[in-house]
């Protein structure tokens, strides 16, 4: 599958690994893929994200991702739904952090960015991809095929992040970036060649 990835899509994957390493995440997940997409410039996904205002709201998106991480993966939408049932997620997080320290609900962290504690052969401390991130990569292939494309570009990775509910899709939706809006923006682009 990776042989079909464009250079830009490969850079997103490498960028996601870099973000996982920088934040100390034990695995590469949707948040890291989203941050790597936001790092891009001049690519189809970058153009669409900029056009929808996501690049201008990057700091807010990063804060939202950090808050989801702090709450152990519970998005704003999930917290709102739980509040409707009388469950105050912020109160629960505050109590857990009071008892166990700040960030106690955050995903397990690796031993360190250079320790290599999670490497798979060789050196460099590679981070494995979480199941939801692997699913995004697989879904990008199906989306590319469905759109009649012979390559997998960063635009397909973006659509794959937005195609199903998840941390990235929820955070982007809170910032007015949805699957439908991205697809429309991609379809409105002039065709190459």
């Amino acid at each position: 599958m990776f042989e079909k990835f464009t250079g830009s899509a490969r850079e997103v994957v490498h960028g996601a690994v870099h973000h996982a390493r920088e934040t100390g995440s034990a695995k590469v997940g949707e948040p890291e893929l989203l941050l790597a997409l936001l790092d891009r410039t001049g690519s189809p996904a970058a153009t669409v994200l900029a056009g929808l205002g996501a690049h201008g709201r990057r700091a807010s998106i990063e804060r939202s991702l950090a808050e989801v991480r702090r709450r152990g993966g519970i998005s704003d939408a999930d917290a709102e739904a739980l509040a409707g049932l009388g469950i105050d997620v912020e109160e629960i997080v505050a109590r857990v952090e009071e008892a166990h320290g700040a960030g106690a609900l955050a995903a397990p962290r690796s031993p360190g960015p250079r320790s290599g504690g999670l490497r798979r052969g060789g050196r460099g401390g590679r981070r494995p991809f979480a199941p939801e991130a692997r699913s995004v990569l697989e879904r990008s292939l199906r989306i590319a095929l469905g759109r009649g494309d012979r390559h997998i570009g960063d635009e397909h990775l973006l659509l794959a992040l937005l195609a199903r509910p998840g941390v990235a899709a929820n955070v982007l939706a809170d910032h007015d970036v949805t699957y439908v809006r991205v697809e429309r923006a991609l379809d409105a682009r002039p065709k190459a060649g």
Side-chain angles (χ1 to χ4, degrees), residues 73-90:
I74 297 174
S75 69
D76 288 343
D78 294 337
E80 195 173 304
L82 289 168
L85 298 172
I87 300 170
D88 185 346
V89 172
E90 287 304 317

Side-chain angles (χ1 to χ4, degrees), residues 24-89:
S25 295
K27 294 184 178 186
V28 177
E30 287 186 9
E32 291 79 17
L33 286 169
L34 174 53
L35 291 171
L37 280 164
L38 288 170
D39 290 343
R40 304 292 305 137
T41 58
S43 69
T47 302
V48 168
L49 286 169
L52 295 175
H55 281 143
R57 295 189 297 267
R58 182 182 179 124
S60 177
I61 291 170
E62 287 179 355
R63 281 191 303 275
S64 294
L65 290 171
E67 189 60 25
V68 168
R69 189 177 304 115
R70 181 181 156 260
R71 291 188 305 237
I74 297 174
S75 69
D76 288 343
D78 294 337
E80 195 173 304
L82 289 168
L85 298 172
I87 300 170
D88 185 346
V89 172

Side-chain angles (χ1 to χ4, degrees), residues 49 52 54 57 158 162 169 172-173 175-179 181-182:
L49 286 169
L52 295 175
R57 295 189 297 267
L158 177 58
L162 293 165
L172 284 173
H175 291 83
D176 298 322
V177 178
T178 64
Y179 186 94
R181 291 189 76 203
V182 167

Side-chain angles (χ1 to χ4, degrees), residues 53-153:
H55 281 143
R57 295 189 297 267
R58 182 182 179 124
S60 177
I61 291 170
E62 287 179 355
R63 281 191 303 275
S64 294
L65 290 171
E67 189 60 25
V68 168
R69 189 177 304 115
R70 181 181 156 260
R71 291 188 305 237
I74 297 174
S75 69
D76 288 343
D78 294 337
E80 195 173 304
L82 289 168
L85 298 172
I87 300 170
D88 185 346
V89 172
E90 287 304 317
E91 177 64 26
I92 293 169
V93 171
R95 286 184 183 186
V96 170
E97 288 184 337
E98 184 179 304
H100 302 284
L105 291 175
R109 298 173 80 72
S110 68
R114 300 198 191 286
S115 71
L118 293 174
R119 65 181 160 214
R120 261 193 251 156
R123 306 179 110 188
R126 293 188 195 166
R127 302 296 193 268
F129 278 70
E132 73 274 5
R134 285 194 307 269
S135 179
V136 167
L137 298 178
E138 293 164 3
R139 196 163 41 250
S140 69
L141 172 62
R142 288 192 297 278
I143 287 171
L145 292 173
R147 292 177 60 82
D149 296 327
R150 294 176 181 238
H151 67 279
I152 300 170

Side-chain angles (χ1 to χ4, degrees), residues 43-44 47-48 147 149 151 155 183-193:
S43 69
T47 302
V48 168
R147 292 177 60 82
D149 296 327
H151 67 279
E155 69 273 26
E183 190 171 50
R184 284 183 185 152
L186 287 169
D187 291 343
R189 291 180 314 145
K191 300 293 179 199

